[in-house]
Amino acid sequence: LPPPTADEMKKIRRIVTLQINPPTTTQDSGLDQGALHAYARKQAPQLRTCYETHLDQDASLDGVMQVTVRFEADGSLNYARIDWTTLNIGKAGDCVLQQLRRWKFKPQLPRSSVAVFRLDFSVRNH
């Protein structure tokens, strides 16, 4: 095999992180915040992939994104929006929303519920 190219070496050396802070919910929420946070962390690889795809265009890209999601009483997600972001990543935001819309989380109490997440994306090269 030929040795990796310079671009391939950059990708190999970069460490991408996504920190998902515990969500905030309304007082009348049917969601268990701890369980929802654990669920979101399990979904992190798909969200991280959205970010990594855009790192190929700008290797120094990092920042914060706040998203709001709404679950129906049956656990299906019917609403996802980016409230604000410090990332200038164009279609990566669309990708994040697309991934969020696939979420299904059974509320602890059978009622629709809203949660707000802060997503911290960062990259460093080692």
Side-chain angles (χ1 to χ4, degrees), residues 27-31 71-75 107-114:
Q27 284 185 329
D28 63 343
S29 174
L31 300 171
F71 293 92
E72 290 296 334
D74 68 357
Q108 189 176 11
L109 300 174
R111 61 175 158 236
S112 62
S113 301
V114 173

Side-chain angles (χ1 to χ4, degrees), residues 2-117:
T5 65
D7 284 340
E8 290 170 335
M9 286 305 296
K10 286 180 188 176
K11 289 179 186 180
I12 291 168
R13 290 190 178 127
R14 71 184 182 200
I15 298 172
V16 174
T17 58
L18 167 56
Q19 178 180 336
I20 301 177
N21 293 345
T24 57
T25 58
T26 57
Q27 284 185 329
D28 63 343
S29 174
L31 300 171
D32 176 286
Q33 287 177 313
L36 181 56
H37 186 222
Y39 176 82
R41 289 173 50 111
K42 287 181 183 174
Q43 306 305 313
Q46 291 84 6
L47 302 177
R48 192 171 26 252
T49 297
C50 292
Y51 175 61
E52 288 175 337
T53 299
H54 289 79
L55 279 173
D56 294 340
Q57 299 163 13
D58 181 355
S60 64
L61 194 63
D62 64 358
V64 179
M65 180 182 291
Q66 180 176 298
V67 297
T68 297
V69 293
R70 179 184 174 129
F71 293 92
E72 290 296 334
D74 68 357
S76 61
L77 192 140
N78 75 341
Y79 176 83
R81 115 177 147 223
I82 297 172
D83 296 324
W84 56 266
T85 183
T86 62
L87 296 169
N88 183 20
I89 55 177
K91 296 196 184 268
D94 294 339
C95 178
V96 167
L97 289 175
Q98 185 178 33
Q99 294 302 322
L100 290 173
R101 289 185 182 114
R102 294 180 179 161
W103 287 13
K104 187 167 177 78
F105 180 80
K106 188 72 172 171
Q108 189 176 11
L109 300 174
R111 61 175 158 236
S112 62
S113 301
V114 173
V116 178
F117 286 94

